Amino acid sequence: MEFQAPRGGMFLWVKFPAGVDTMKLVAPALKEGIAFNPGPEWATDPDPARNYLRLCYALPSEQQIAEGVAKLAQVFHREVGVP
């Protein structure tokens, strides 16, 4: 996956390999207590954004972020074999 450190704001835009459809990963992630914004919901052209997601880091503590990212990685690995 790829991302750039944001210069401001409260969201991190994350790119996954082509073929990963983040829309299909919303429900499995929610079952683990993890919510994220799938890329197509935040793009003017949804198709090229299918392998992107948006994470908010404004409210959670650093510990919650670390735990959430670890759980999200497990979901992605289980569902689509990445990371």
Side-chain angles (χ1 to χ4, degrees):
M1 69 181 201
E2 300 173 25
F3 71 93
Q4 292 181 351
R7 288 184 245 159
M10 59 185 170
F11 294 99
L12 186 64
W13 190 242
V14 182
K15 179 182 179 184
F16 286 87
V20 173
D21 186 347
T22 59
M23 293 293 291
K24 293 180 180 177
L25 298 167
V26 172
L30 281 175
K31 285 182 183 177
E32 299 293 329
I34 305 299
F36 66 86
N37 302 121
E41 292 182 355
W42 295 93
T44 56
D45 188 358
D47 286 333
R50 290 230 172 261
N51 61 318
Y52 286 82
L53 64 79
R54 201 172 86 142
L55 295 174
C56 179
Y57 56 85
L59 183 60
S61 68
E62 287 185 34
Q63 180 179 347
Q64 289 172 315
I65 291 171
E67 291 170 2
V69 168
K71 283 184 180 181
L72 189 59
Q74 290 173 354
V75 169
F76 274 50
H77 182 71
R78 182 180 69 234
E79 298 294 324
V80 294
V82 294

